Amino acid sequence: MSDPNIRNRKIEHIRIVVEKDVDFPNMCSEIYNEIILVHRAFPGIDLSDVDLSTRFLNYELSAPLMISGMTGGDPLTTKYNKKLAVLAEEFRIAIGVGSERSLLIHKDEPEIIRSYRVVREIAKDVPVIGNIGANTLLDLRNEDISYIISSIDADALAIHLNPAQEAIQPEGDTRFNVKILERIEEILDHICVPIIIKEVGNGLSYEDVSLFYSMGIRFFDIAGACGTNWILVEKYRRKDKITTTIADHLSSWGIPTPIAIIEARAAAPDSFIIASGGVYDGLRAIKNIVLGADLNGVARPLIREIYLRGLNAGKAFLETMIKEMKIVSFLTGAKSISELKKKPLILSSDMLSYLEQRGIDLREYKEIRGGIE
Amino acid sequence: MEEYKYPEIFVRDKNSNKYICRVSDEYVLVKEPVSNECYGHIIYEDILKYFDLANPILEKDAIVVPEFSDEKLLKGLFVKKGTKLCLIEISGYEPYVSPREGEKINVKDKIGMVITNKYEVRVIRSPCEGVVIFVINIVWEKPEKYILAVVSENDVGQITIRKSQGNHV
């Protein structure tokens, strides 16, 4: 399980994500612009009637938002996780931590444990999500899995699938074979919290979601290809020409967030779907809900605000986002998430063509996009 | 680079281009038969020809080398003619098998999975107990399938095979 570079990597990742342009090209602006929610000149409600609160993992959230797992694993990351946890607690939204593999490698180092644990210590009243890479599961014992859950009192464990990132990462571990499915089956039998299957920014497909759904998993974070592209993040950590060239060629690889939401909802009609990947404003967040997501995950814009401008800038970002979500909801005439999910949705001809080619029936999809009530 | 290892099967009295022969109390790997008890190498999947499928038994003595390699000493599993086989079929759009030759399994152990054409996972559990002796991948049939042959632990002999110095394979 040794990985001497893991702590440096955690710091490098934050620096690159904040300082470099590592987003997908134009961040799916075209796709999002072509998803139309119908404006209601007479919404039939007051703006003050809009209540976007929702339940997630037995907690009441003020808005369908979570701060996606980003970091932890080096003492220098503690301050970021601390600030993110302050925001999660203050705004009553869910929060995840970055991959906890470092926690297992440095079990005897209190400062490393604290870099993750600080999240639960501050965010006491919201769901906290643990995190581990699927490719590392074959090396871990059930006790290790229990440890990463209990060390932060996690309410769920996110298992992330990041083959694109690992393929470009200098220390990349590209073991993503079917033995992982067997391992996840064993883990499901062993742990008492739900598993969330998540991508990290290249999107979950119908096929991926269907596989894990058939194993009994009901939580998916589709992390689509509209936000941070980890292929590009790793590119900045490579020196060799061959891999950096490949990374450039793959700069738009993946399933865009809106499409991944539809694929996931079609594959797992009664599941809880988290939309992340380029959710940088309230309008996108509401479009994701109407498309079939239950919650939105935000990462890069928040860490960027905190890193460059401090905690108050992070607060301002979330305030803006939640207010925008409420206004957009108001303008569609929906005063709650369940009403939003029933609002009309207009998709572009390109998206309709995509769905047809993927064998996803539009009528069936529109019936199930509401997901769980 | 790690040495490539792969399973091989040898069947009693079968003509071939390499053999495992018993000489005194020793098994040696040779190019030509050197004793009255020799086992000829066969194409792995051809072991099916030596199964009585109606009453699943092995019809010839056989030796399985789970990890054939360039090592001078190889480990082998010896199974006698008439040994009762528990045959397990795993078939589907994308079948996967976990245990390899020589692994012990129990009833209800997870032994593989099938990914269906709807991308659903079906976990396959063992209906029998014993040692997996053959893992036969039938790729020429659709859907693709694996047949696992499991025998009682008491029916498997562990042998060591030495590569002959003078009769190189």
Side-chain angles (χ1 to χ4, degrees):
Chain A
M1 209 191 292
S2 77
D3 184 352
N5 294 328
I6 196 164
R7 286 173 56 175
N8 288 341
R9 189 160 75 231
K10 299 281 180 181
I11 304 299
E12 268 188 280
H13 278 162
I14 291 181
R15 188 181 50 75
I16 294 168
V17 162
V18 168
E19 294 175 0
K20 303 283 185 185
D21 179 12
V22 288
D23 279 328
F24 279 87
N26 70 52
M27 293 161 51
C28 303
S29 300
E30 284 174 21
I31 297 174
Y32 271 107
N33 287 342
E34 288 178 350
I35 296 166
I36 298 170
L37 306 182
V38 177
H39 168 67
R40 293 297 307 272
F42 177 66
I45 55 172
D46 297 343
L47 176 57
S48 59
D49 291 337
V50 176
D51 175 5
L52 296 181
S53 64
T54 190
R55 281 195 79 75
F56 177 46
L57 298 169
N58 295 323
Y59 291 82
E60 185 83 11
L61 305 184
S62 70
L65 275 179
M66 84 174 268
I67 300 171
S68 297
M70 280 180 269
T71 195
D74 184 277
L76 290 173
T77 65
T78 307
K79 62 183 173 192
Y80 301 115
N81 265 343
K82 191 174 175 182
K83 287 175 183 172
L84 293 169
V86 166
L87 293 175
E89 182 71 3
E90 186 174 328
F91 285 87
R92 214 153 37 86
I93 59 177
I95 182 168
V97 297
S99 171
E100 292 178 80
R101 189 154 167 268
S102 182
L103 192 64
L104 294 169
I105 295 170
H106 304 283
K107 262 183 178 172
D108 301 327
E109 296 180 46
E111 285 192 331
I112 300 288
I113 298 170
R114 181 158 166 74
S115 71
Y116 295 101
R117 177 78 198 165
V118 68
V119 172
R120 176 48 94 195
E121 284 169 2
I122 293 168
K124 291 188 172 76
D125 306 309
V126 295
V128 172
I129 319 297
N131 188 355
I132 193 75
N135 52 342
T136 65
L137 293 178
L138 297 176
D139 304 330
L140 305 182
R141 299 165 303 155
N142 286 344
E143 296 73 43
D144 297 324
I145 303 296
S146 297
Y147 178 72
I148 61 175
I149 293 168
S150 64
S151 61
I152 58 165
D153 295 331
D155 299 291
L157 175 67
I159 295 180
H160 67 259
L161 299 162
N162 61 338
Q165 179 188 4
E166 297 285 352
I168 301 297
Q169 188 177 93
E171 316 85 345
D173 171 1
T174 50
R175 295 172 300 160
F176 286 89
N177 60 63
V178 290
K179 284 182 186 162
I180 290 170
L181 298 180
E182 282 183 54
R183 190 70 193 95
I184 291 176
E185 274 248 322
E186 290 166 9
I187 293 168
L188 275 170
D189 290 341
H190 179 74
I191 64 175
C192 300
V193 296
I195 285 177
I196 301 173
I197 293 294
K198 69 173 264 143
E199 238 286 356
V200 300
N202 299 95
L204 290 179
S205 65
Y206 178 99
E207 289 84 347
D208 300 325
V209 172
S210 183
L211 279 180
F212 292 103
Y213 181 80
S214 73
M215 292 166 62
I217 289 169
R218 293 293 180 270
F219 291 86
F220 298 93
D221 182 344
I222 56 93
C226 290
T228 306
N229 184 350
W230 285 89
I231 292 173
L232 296 180
V233 175
E234 298 299 346
K235 184 189 99 167
Y236 285 107
R237 300 184 58 242
R238 299 287 313 210
K239 301 280 183 278
D240 64 296
K241 177 88 175 125
I242 291 175
T243 317
T244 53
T245 302
I246 295 168
D248 283 334
H249 292 165
L250 297 179
S251 63
S252 57
W253 176 266
I255 306 169
T257 304
I259 289 171
I261 295 169
I262 297 174
E263 296 226 358
R265 183 53 78 202
D270 60 345
S271 291
F272 194 95
I273 292 171
I274 302 164
S276 61
V279 187
Y280 289 3
D281 59 53
L283 174 57
R284 284 187 175 204
I286 291 299
K287 284 185 176 179
N288 289 342
I289 298 283
V290 180
L291 279 165
D294 298 292
L295 200 75
N296 283 280
V298 187
R300 185 176 181 235
L302 209 46
I303 193 96
R304 203 159 186 270
E305 290 298 314
I306 287 171
Y307 185 96
L308 297 175
R309 287 179 273 277
L311 183 64
N312 285 338
K315 280 186 192 177
F317 174 84
L318 283 176
E319 268 174 24
T320 308
M321 185 156 196
I322 292 170
K323 189 169 184 182
E324 187 174 323
M325 288 169 76
K326 285 185 175 173
I327 290 173
V328 174
S329 187
F330 169 63
L331 294 176
T332 65
K335 57 180 184 294
S336 66
I337 289 174
S338 59
E339 286 186 16
L340 266 172
K341 285 169 178 279
K342 292 172 192 148
K343 291 295 171 190
L345 172 69
I346 315 298
L347 301 177
S348 69
S349 54
D350 283 349
M351 281 183 85
L352 293 178
S353 164
Y354 179 94
L355 296 184
E356 191 184 348
Q357 290 178 59
R358 292 286 286 148
I360 296 171
D361 184 84
L362 181 67
R363 194 177 298 171
E364 266 179 41
Y365 156 66
K366 287 206 168 181
E367 276 171 19
I368 60 169
R369 78 185 152 100
I372 48 176
E373 286 286 323
Chain B
M1 198 162 69
E2 202 175 315
E3 192 178 13
Y4 183 53
K5 294 173 178 174
Y6 48 94
E8 294 275 38
I9 300 178
F10 296 78
V11 171
R12 178 81 187 256
D13 297 334
K14 176 82 180 97
N15 288 331
S16 183
N17 59 352
K18 62 179 172 184
Y19 296 86
I20 294 172
C21 293
R22 186 170 178 175
V23 181
S24 302
D25 281 339
E26 192 183 39
Y27 289 89
V28 286
L29 184 72
V30 288
K31 272 186 178 173
E32 301 290 342
V34 293
S35 73
N36 291 333
E37 186 183 336
C38 286
Y39 302 79
H41 175 254
I42 61 165
I43 294 169
Y44 195 101
E45 291 75 18
D46 283 356
I47 191 65
L48 282 170
K49 294 176 186 166
Y50 303 96
F51 288 1
D52 176 351
L53 292 169
N55 170 35
I57 56 164
L58 187 64
E59 292 180 321
K60 286 264 192 185
D61 293 355
I63 293 170
V64 183
V65 181
E67 294 187 347
F68 199 93
S69 68
D70 288 339
E71 296 286 322
K72 284 181 183 166
L73 291 177
L74 300 169
K75 285 187 177 164
L77 304 167
F78 176 76
V79 201
K80 273 195 87 61
K81 172 185 174 181
T83 298
K84 204 173 163 192
L85 304 171
C86 171
L87 299 178
I88 309 167
E89 181 178 317
I90 299 176
S91 74
Y93 185 61
E94 287 180 28
Y96 297 94
V97 172
S98 334
R100 307 315 315 171
E101 295 87 347
E103 279 185 41
K104 195 173 178 309
I105 58 171
N106 291 308
V107 175
K108 292 190 179 171
D109 277 358
K110 287 176 195 170
I111 53 166
M113 59 175 61
V114 171
I115 296 176
T116 70
N117 57 2
K118 289 183 175 175
Y119 290 93
E120 292 170 347
V121 180
R122 300 265 181 270
V123 173
I124 313 293
R125 291 177 186 274
S126 173
C128 44
E129 180 185 336
V131 174
V132 175
I133 199 80
F134 305 118
V135 181
I136 306 145
N137 185 198
I138 303 177
V139 290
W140 58 90
E141 285 185 14
K142 291 288 168 200
E144 183 184 341
K145 69 176 70 159
Y146 282 92
I147 292 174
L148 268 71
V150 181
V151 301
S152 163
E153 202 174 355
N154 297 327
D155 290 333
V156 185
Q158 309 270 352
I159 62 170
T160 302
I161 304 146
R162 180 176 60 80
K163 285 191 178 167
S164 164
Q165 298 286 320
N167 191 359
H168 292 291
V169 174

